[in-house]
């Protein structure tokens, strides 16, 4: 029985409710009067229900799809301005006891090079990331209670936060590790993590069990209920995601929105972010063996619909996507991008030898961080290295309340400009620096409050003189 307030996976992600929703969406997709009404509702910027959003996903009318794109672009501008937050993944260990059939880490894969960073190697990786200019990381690890126990993850987080190299510092560590216990989530919270990210992979229980035939990840309910345990453990910000390509995208989309509705209903705060990874080629993995791959057009439509359905939730696109695809979807609502990512264990400080491959998947966007930053600015976006909200305690419902009241702009925009200037001063090429400094000068004018502008100008001057870490 469908119940968004239930704590049981099978009740808040009810298969029957998803099937009913998809049937309703099919029946109503050509009722253009109703479709227009739903788009009008979305324009109120209060989000859409999974049922409403599913009708829009099913609708194939070109002029309505264009309206959805235009609205997504507008909502993105209203809530997130022209900022794009930058981050990088850091792979700690690819030891894994699970049998996920789409992931090269699976236990039966005997040819992937198994690696786990020592604390000295973590240090080297973090210094390499700091030397590019990164301030925000997402740590990644396979699930292996012997090789990667929670103590190892906590030790790595400690090491990462402790490294101060030149002007570098990692100021926010997000964590993408397997579903765990309330007690372990509490430990992660105490270690000072930002967002806890866990991809659902698929919301379809039967497929989930087939795609995860062995290992602790096989347990659909334990995995699906992880965010509730994380929140019980005190983690304010959680990040959802589906691995598109595993199951039918319409099913996943309805499930994803139901999950967001569930978190809002039970914890009073929806997901902080939604990631939209697509299945990629990897060691021992051929994406063509999976039937449910989605085209770039559908991918863009999904991004736009996520933006208008959950306007307060950040959206993350990784380097799994090419420059061309990223170019299309940042306009439609994406708020965070990774840059210069390596998915191998230890890949930032040392390239892997030819015969040794520990990568999780092939990266499509292989540009340097400097190139990504310059490309964003050429498009009129401000690359932001800001981590202030979480450090100022603006997390969970506090962050959401400010965002909903339109207040967050007073912090995010000046913080983006200050962290961009830090990047330009410390890490950028001359070409990027020239472009960026001009952009900052232009953008100062767009700060609405005189007082904030005054402080911002002073801080920017300080940053030019070598001082760091100012924030609103
Ligand atoms: N081990 C953790 C877990 O079980 O959730 C998470 C870490 S894993 C390094 C991060 C994510 O990579 C997975 O949740 C999955 O969605 C994604 N992934 C796995 N194989 C992939 C592939 N072949 N292509 C693209 N993404 C993949």
């Amino acid at each position: 029985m469908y119940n968004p307030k239930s704590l049981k996976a099978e009740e808040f992600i009810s298969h029957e409710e998803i099937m009913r929703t998809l049937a309703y969406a099919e029946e109503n997709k050509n009722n253009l009067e109703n479709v227009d009404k739903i788009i009008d509702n979305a324009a109120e910027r209060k989000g859409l229900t999974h049922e409403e959003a599913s009708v829009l996903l099913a609708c194939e009318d070109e002029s309505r799809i264009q309206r959805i794109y235009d609205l997504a672009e507008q909502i993105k501008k209203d809530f997130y301005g022209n900022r794009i937050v930058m981050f990088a993944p850091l792979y700690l260990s690819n030891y894994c006891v699970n049998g996920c059939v789409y992931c090269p880490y699976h236990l039966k894969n005997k040819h992937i090079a198994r690696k786990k960073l020592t604390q000295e190697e973590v240090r080297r990786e973090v210094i390499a990331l700091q030397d590019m200019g990164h301030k925000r990381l997402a740590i990644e690890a396979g699930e292996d209670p012997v090789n990667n126990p929670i103590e190892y993850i906590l030790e790595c987080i400690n090491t990462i936060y402790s490294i101060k190299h030149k002007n570098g510092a990692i100021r926010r560590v997000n964590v993408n590790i397997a579903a765990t216990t309330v007690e372990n989530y509490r430990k992660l919270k105490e270690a000072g993590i930002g967002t806890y990210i866990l991809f659902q992979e698929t919301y379809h229980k039967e497929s989930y069990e087939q795609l995860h035939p062995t290992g602790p990840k096989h347990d659909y309910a334990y995995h699906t209920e992880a965010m509730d345990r994380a929140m019980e453990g005190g983690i304010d910000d959680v990040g959802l995601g589906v691995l598109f390509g595993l199951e039918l995208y319409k099913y996943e989309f309805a499930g994803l929105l139901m999950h967001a509705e569930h978190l809002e209903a039970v914890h009073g705060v929806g997901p902080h972010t939604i990631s939209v990874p697509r299945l990629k080629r990897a060691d021992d993995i051929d994406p063509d063996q999976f039937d449910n791959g989605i085209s770039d057009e559908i991918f863009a439509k999904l991004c736009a619909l996520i933006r208008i359905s959950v306007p307060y939730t950040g959206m993350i696109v990784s380097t799994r996507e090419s420059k061309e695809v990223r170019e299309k979807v940042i306009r439609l609502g994406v708020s965070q991008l990774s840059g210069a990512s390596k998915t191998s264990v230890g890949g930032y400080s040392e390239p892997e030898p030819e015969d040794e491959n520990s990568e999780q998947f092939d990266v499509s966007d292989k540009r340097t961080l400097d190139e990504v930053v310059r490309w964003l600015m050429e498009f009129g976006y401000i690359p932001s290295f800001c981590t202030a909200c979480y450090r100022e305690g603006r997390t969970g419902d506090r962050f959401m309340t400010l965002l909903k009241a339109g207040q967050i702009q007073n912090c995010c925009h000046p913080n983006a400009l200050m962290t961009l200037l830090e990047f330009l001063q410390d890490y950028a090429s001359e070409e990027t620096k020239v472009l960026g400094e001009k952009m900052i000068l232009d953008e100062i004018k767009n700060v609405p409050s005189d007082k904030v502008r005054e402080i911002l100008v002073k801080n920017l001057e300080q940053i030019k003189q070598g001082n760091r870490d100012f924030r609103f």
Side-chain angles (χ1 to χ4, degrees):
M1 241 264 283
Y2 175 51
N3 177 6
K5 286 200 165 161
S6 165
L7 291 176
K8 287 202 181 117
E10 284 181 65
E11 292 180 1
F12 64 82
I13 307 289
S14 145
H15 173 69
E16 289 69 35
E17 173 59 14
I18 298 184
M19 295 314 285
R20 186 203 64 74
T21 303
L22 298 189
Y24 176 87
E26 264 319 290
E27 281 158 28
N28 288 278
K29 67 178 184 185
N30 294 323
N31 178 349
L32 297 182
E33 205 179 307
N34 188 33
V35 166
D36 281 333
K37 234 201 245 149
I38 298 174
I39 302 176
D40 291 344
N41 280 349
E44 302 283 319
R45 288 147 172 72
K46 293 196 174 74
L48 293 175
T49 64
H50 63 273
E51 185 184 272
E52 290 173 318
S54 293
V55 172
L56 297 190
L57 183 58
C59 174
E60 284 162 5
D61 178 84
E62 278 185 21
S63 68
R64 269 55 180 203
I65 295 176
Q66 191 53 50
R67 269 196 80 196
I68 292 169
Y69 282 9
D70 292 345
L71 180 61
E73 211 172 323
Q74 194 53 50
I75 290 182
K76 148 108 193 198
K77 278 191 193 135
D78 295 348
F79 284 117
Y80 301 89
N82 54 350
R83 298 176 303 279
I84 298 283
V85 168
M86 304 303 306
F87 77 99
L90 171 58
Y91 284 78
L92 300 178
S93 165
N94 63 3
Y95 283 92
C96 194
V97 297
N98 286 312
C100 316
V101 301
Y102 51 85
C103 179
Y105 290 3
H106 69 81
L107 189 62
K108 285 194 188 143
N109 186 356
K110 298 294 175 210
H111 35 84
I112 191 167
R114 298 285 172 180
K115 295 186 185 173
K116 170 187 168 182
L117 298 179
T118 63
Q119 294 313 301
E120 188 42 43
E121 286 164 340
V122 171
R123 245 184 90 74
R124 283 210 286 271
E125 288 289 277
V126 170
I127 287 174
L129 284 155
Q130 289 183 358
D131 277 344
M132 288 182 218
H134 278 295
K135 299 279 186 268
R136 177 189 290 244
L137 300 183
I139 55 171
E140 313 271 342
E143 179 168 16
D144 185 326
V146 174
N147 285 298
N148 326 324
I150 193 71
E151 291 71 24
Y152 170 71
I153 304 291
L154 296 169
E155 197 185 356
C156 291
I157 296 171
N158 253 323
T159 302
I160 295 168
Y161 278 135
S162 73
I163 299 162
K164 304 281 177 284
H165 159 73
K166 298 185 184 163
N167 280 338
I170 298 303
R171 299 172 178 159
R172 177 175 177 133
V173 177
N174 296 333
V175 173
N176 183 4
I177 59 164
T180 186
T181 59
V182 175
E183 197 192 338
N184 286 347
Y185 286 124
R186 206 163 276 134
K187 290 179 185 166
L188 288 170
K189 164 78 181 171
E190 280 161 17
I193 71 159
T195 312
Y196 171 66
I197 299 166
L198 180 69
F199 299 158
Q200 178 62 30
E201 322 300 5
T202 174
Y203 283 98
H204 191 288
K205 183 169 186 273
E206 222 178 284
S207 300
Y208 181 97
E209 287 170 352
Q210 283 164 12
L211 291 159
H212 306 94
T214 54
K217 195 163 171 175
H218 177 73
D219 187 337
Y220 175 85
Y222 189 74
H223 188 80
T224 311
E225 293 159 10
M227 295 313 192
D228 297 292
R229 290 194 301 281
M231 286 189 154
E232 196 187 329
I235 293 177
D236 295 324
D237 291 332
V238 297
L240 304 181
V242 154
L243 185 55
F244 285 104
L246 299 180
E247 244 302 337
L248 296 172
Y249 69 91
K250 290 180 181 169
Y251 191 101
E252 304 294 23
F253 179 67
L256 186 63
L257 291 186
M258 284 163 74
H259 202 170
E261 287 163 12
H262 161 73
L263 295 177
E264 180 92 47
V266 174
H267 307 280
V269 51
H272 190 68
T273 53
I274 288 182
S275 300
V276 285
R278 282 197 281 186
L279 189 64
K280 298 279 300 179
R281 189 167 298 284
D283 185 76
D284 208 36
I285 306 297
D286 176 2
D288 297 337
Q289 308 246 295
F290 295 80
D291 298 333
N292 297 308
I294 55 171
S295 66
D296 292 350
E297 284 66 36
I298 295 294
F299 183 68
K301 193 174 177 190
L302 284 164
C303 290
L305 281 170
I306 290 173
R307 178 43 57 246
I308 70 171
S309 304
V310 280
Y312 310 115
T313 299
M315 206 188 325
I316 303 180
V317 167
S318 73
T319 52
R320 289 177 182 85
E321 300 300 334
S322 66
K323 170 176 174 271
E324 291 68 31
V325 170
R326 295 175 120 199
E327 229 157 73
K328 189 165 179 179
V329 295
I330 45 177
R331 264 194 298 124
L332 298 176
V334 170
S335 56
Q336 287 191 35
L337 286 184
S338 49
S341 305
K342 293 268 189 281
T343 69
S344 48
V345 180
Y348 291 108
S349 48
E350 242 174 80
E352 287 198 310
E354 284 275 312
D355 57 343
E356 221 178 72
N357 179 11
S358 70
E359 280 178 354
Q360 200 194 13
F361 51 80
D362 285 355
V363 159
S364 291
D365 185 343
K366 295 185 176 14
R367 291 172 296 170
T368 63
L369 186 59
D370 185 73
E371 285 167 337
V372 175
V373 164
R374 191 163 64 245
W375 159 77
L376 283 171
M377 295 191 301
E378 280 162 358
F379 274 103
Y381 289 96
I382 311 171
S384 172
F385 293 86
C386 180
T387 54
C389 274
Y390 134 85
R391 293 160 80 224
E392 291 291 322
R394 291 192 292 263
T395 56
D397 54 353
R398 275 202 65 205
F399 172 81
M400 288 294 174
T401 311
L402 285 167
L403 186 63
K404 287 178 186 172
Q407 294 275 353
I408 209 79
Q409 307 283 14
N410 288 326
C411 319
C412 293
H413 183 249
N415 283 336
L417 297 180
M418 292 191 298
T419 54
L420 174 59
L421 185 60
E422 288 185 342
F423 176 84
L424 298 175
Q425 293 285 312
D426 293 340
Y427 310 105
S429 65
E430 204 43 44
E431 198 186 344
T432 306
K433 198 171 169 185
V434 171
L435 188 64
E437 288 185 347
K438 186 179 170 307
M439 178 173 218
I440 292 171
L441 275 182
D442 288 345
E443 286 286 339
I444 291 174
K445 297 177 204 133
N446 297 334
V447 175
S449 147
D450 289 344
K451 195 166 162 229
V452 172
R453 196 176 326 111
E454 206 177 293
I455 303 171
L456 173 63
V457 170
K458 275 191 199 145
N459 289 352
L460 290 171
E461 204 38 59
Q462 288 284 320
I463 293 169
K464 280 202 164 163
Q465 286 168 22
N467 296 313
R468 294 288 172 268
D469 206 7
F470 296 95
R471 57 182 184 264
F472 284 93

